[in-house]
Amino acid sequence: MTVIANTLIVITISVGVLFTLVTMIGILRLPDVYTRAHAASKSTTFGVLSILLGVFFHYWLKEGLFSIQLLLAIVFLFITSPIGGHLMGRAAYISGVEKSPLTVGDELEEVVEEAKRKARPRPEID
Amino acid sequence: MAFQILLNVFIAVIWMLINSSVSATSFIVGYIIGLLLIVLFRRFFKQRLYIGRLWSATKLFLIFLKELTLSNISVLMVVLKPDLENIQPMIFALPTELEHDWEITLLSSLITLTPGTVVLYVSDDQSTLYIHAIDVDDVDEAIHSIKNTFEKAILEVSRS
């Protein structure tokens, strides 16, 4: 039983550390803000989730403490982190951050141009 | 759905009062009896049974966990590739059939959490999601897989 518990804890925490590390490498290597948003907003979620899960297993199986707060932290992370990623990407796109030249297609450009044109106030004629 | 759950809790409380034993055990027994009664009387409810909806929500959660793990591994492969000159990011439009606000929020959260795709923009009439994909070989295939997994599961949850 102790062996199983130890294996579970070690595996979850190492997976978490691995994915957090990969996120960091991704932020350094990827070319533009949108591709970095991929690495930043999601692999971290998965990494932090795994680490929290490992801590939860540690306290539950070894110390006998069933920590609800850690589970709540996982749920809150899941709810908030995609919204953060979406808002950063959207704000970057609308304020006109350059895409990397590798980008092969863009179906959003016209839509945002149209919306900006509508939102811009008409120049006064006097 | 909320009405059925309330009714079920009410039956459980009645069962506790009948047995005059206020404890968790008798509440659970009463809840199971209430569930059986609700299943028996299902033709009198306009909506479908809440237990079925609960089951499809569980299925959605399992699909999500599976996709999260698989696609995290695929992003790991992309990031650790020796030459990053070969990736092909792309912004594509995904037409969606979902109508309610919460369904679209849920779908875009799920799409954003599965690596490889980030939702950048929801069109004003809420009929199209604009998605940034990190490495697209075949856009149609990506759209097809999102539609087949997440959208289908969400539609199944919200079907009345």
Side-chain angles (χ1 to χ4, degrees):
Chain A
M1 189 60 208
T2 327
V3 179
I4 298 176
N6 278 335
T7 329
L8 203 62
I9 294 164
V10 168
I11 286 179
T12 43
I13 291 187
S14 348
V15 166
V17 171
L18 179 74
F19 274 103
T20 316
L21 193 71
V22 166
T23 303
M24 216 174 61
I25 299 173
I27 289 179
L28 290 176
R29 288 192 67 197
L30 289 170
D32 66 348
V33 68
Y34 307 105
T35 43
R36 281 178 189 164
H38 282 268
S41 72
K42 291 159 309 187
S43 297
T44 4
T45 317
F46 192 68
V48 176
L49 172 108
S50 289
I51 294 176
L52 283 177
L53 210 61
V55 174
F56 169 74
F57 281 138
H58 172 80
Y59 276 106
W60 185 28
L61 298 173
K62 314 216 48 151
E63 320 262 330
L65 178 78
F66 193 86
S67 166
I68 306 281
Q69 284 144 340
L70 283 170
L71 294 183
L72 273 184
I74 293 175
V75 172
F76 287 154
L77 201 69
F78 259 132
I79 295 172
T80 52
S81 101
I83 312 283
H86 164 69
L87 282 180
M88 277 189 291
R90 183 189 147 98
Y93 198 95
I94 290 179
S95 57
V97 176
E98 289 286 314
K99 298 181 290 286
S100 103
L102 295 173
T103 311
V104 288
D106 189 352
E107 295 177 8
L108 178 55
E109 205 158 17
E110 306 155 18
V111 181
V112 169
E113 282 303 316
E114 181 72 26
K116 273 186 186 166
R117 213 162 42 75
K118 269 186 198 157
R120 195 176 299 146
R122 296 231 177 87
E124 296 276 329
I125 305 167
D126 49 10
Chain B
M1 178 176 168
F3 171 71
Q4 292 178 15
I5 294 176
L6 268 181
L7 189 65
N8 204 341
V9 170
F10 185 67
I11 294 173
V13 170
I14 295 283
W15 178 259
M16 280 194 330
L17 293 179
I18 286 175
N19 281 321
S20 69
S21 72
V22 181
S23 68
T25 330
S26 69
F27 181 82
I28 292 170
V29 171
Y31 199 88
I32 293 170
I33 289 172
L35 200 60
L36 285 177
L37 284 177
I38 285 179
V39 172
L40 277 180
F41 286 94
R42 62 182 171 277
R43 46 182 290 237
F44 295 104
F45 298 112
K46 286 198 185 74
Q47 293 185 318
R48 76 189 168 120
L49 287 178
Y50 80 91
I51 196 88
R53 194 173 283 194
L54 218 59
W55 171 242
S56 18
T58 319
K59 254 194 329 204
L60 175 65
F61 182 69
L62 290 180
I63 288 174
F64 164 64
L65 278 189
K66 189 189 118 208
E67 291 283 318
L68 181 70
T69 319
L70 287 183
S71 42
N72 257 301
I73 292 170
S74 75
V75 154
L76 188 139
M77 293 305 177
V78 168
V79 167
L80 294 183
K81 238 191 247 176
D83 49 340
L84 274 182
E85 300 302 309
N86 287 333
I87 60 169
Q88 295 181 317
M90 178 173 184
I91 298 176
F92 61 91
L94 173 82
T96 177
E97 297 160 28
L98 302 177
E99 281 163 6
H100 298 111
D101 284 353
W102 68 268
E103 292 170 345
I104 293 170
T105 312
L106 187 62
L107 181 67
S108 42
S109 285
L110 290 180
I111 291 173
T112 305
L113 264 182
T114 52
T117 45
V118 172
V119 177
L120 280 187
Y121 197 83
V122 181
S123 69
D124 293 336
D125 56 352
Q126 300 192 338
S127 64
T128 317
L129 301 176
Y130 291 91
I131 299 175
H132 183 275
I134 195 169
D135 193 7
V136 165
D137 298 327
D138 190 359
V139 177
D140 291 334
E141 197 201 348
I143 292 180
H144 191 70
S145 79
I146 289 173
K147 272 205 171 291
N148 255 340
T149 53
F150 290 137
E151 194 173 24
K152 215 168 110 192
I154 292 177
L155 275 178
E156 198 174 314
V157 173
S158 70
R159 193 189 60 196
S160 66

